[in-house]
Amino acid sequence: QAEEELKETCARQVLQLREMGRRERLLRAELGQGKEQLESFKTRVMRACSPAAACVAGKAITEQQVIEKVGEICKENQQSHEREKGLQEELSSRLSKEKEVSANLEVFKKSVCELQ
C-alpha cells in the first residue's frame, strides 16, 4: 500500500513538473514577445523624436537614448512655451503702444482741425 501511494505521489509530481515546464515555456515565449514589443516601441519613439537617430547602422536603441531624447524634447517644448509667452507679452505691449499712438494721433488731428 505504501508503495502504491509512493507511485501515485510520484506520478502526481511528474504531472506537476510537466505542467511547470509547460508554463515556463509559455512565460519564456511571452517574455520574448514582450522584449520584441519593447524594442519596436523604442524604435518608433526614436523615429518620432528624431528620424535620423532611429536605428543608425542597424544598432539597437538603448532605453537611455530614448529617455535622453524624450528629455530633450520636453526641454525644447518648455523653451518654446516660454518664448511664446515672451512674444505674447511683447505683442500685447506693442498693441497697447499702438493704441496710445492712435489716440494721440486723433487728438493731434482734432487740434489741427480746430487751429485751421
Side-chain angles (χ1 to χ4, degrees):
Q1 185 179 359
E3 186 179 333
E4 220 25 67
E5 288 177 9
L6 238 111
K7 285 181 181 179
E8 288 176 12
T9 301
C10 200
R12 277 196 309 272
Q13 287 179 343
V14 165
L15 289 174
Q16 287 175 343
L17 189 58
R18 285 182 184 160
E19 180 62 19
M20 287 172 63
R22 186 185 72 78
R23 288 181 183 174
E24 182 182 0
R25 286 189 301 278
L26 286 173
L27 288 172
R28 287 186 189 274
E30 288 176 8
L31 178 63
Q33 290 173 347
K35 285 180 179 178
E36 289 174 9
Q37 289 173 347
L38 176 61
E39 285 302 317
S40 173
F41 177 73
K42 287 192 303 186
T43 301
R44 290 192 320 252
V45 167
M46 286 302 285
R47 281 188 187 135
C49 296
S50 175
C55 282
V56 176
K59 293 182 181 176
I61 299 164
T62 66
E63 290 178 18
Q64 187 61 35
Q65 289 173 313
V66 172
I67 291 168
E68 288 172 3
K69 191 63 182 176
V70 170
E72 287 175 22
I73 290 171
C74 289
K75 186 177 179 181
E76 290 171 6
N77 190 29
Q78 181 64 32
Q79 290 171 346
S80 293
H81 284 298
E82 289 171 6
R83 180 162 161 66
E84 180 183 6
K85 184 179 177 183
L87 290 171
Q88 287 287 355
E89 290 172 359
E90 183 180 339
L91 179 62
S92 178
S93 173
R94 287 186 182 192
L95 286 173
S96 294
K97 286 179 184 177
E98 186 180 320
K99 285 180 182 178
E100 185 181 336
V101 168
S102 292
N104 288 340
L105 184 60
E106 286 302 316
V107 169
F108 179 72
K109 283 181 181 178
K110 203 178 219 182
S111 297
V112 167
C113 284
E114 288 175 1
L115 285 174
Q116 286 177 349

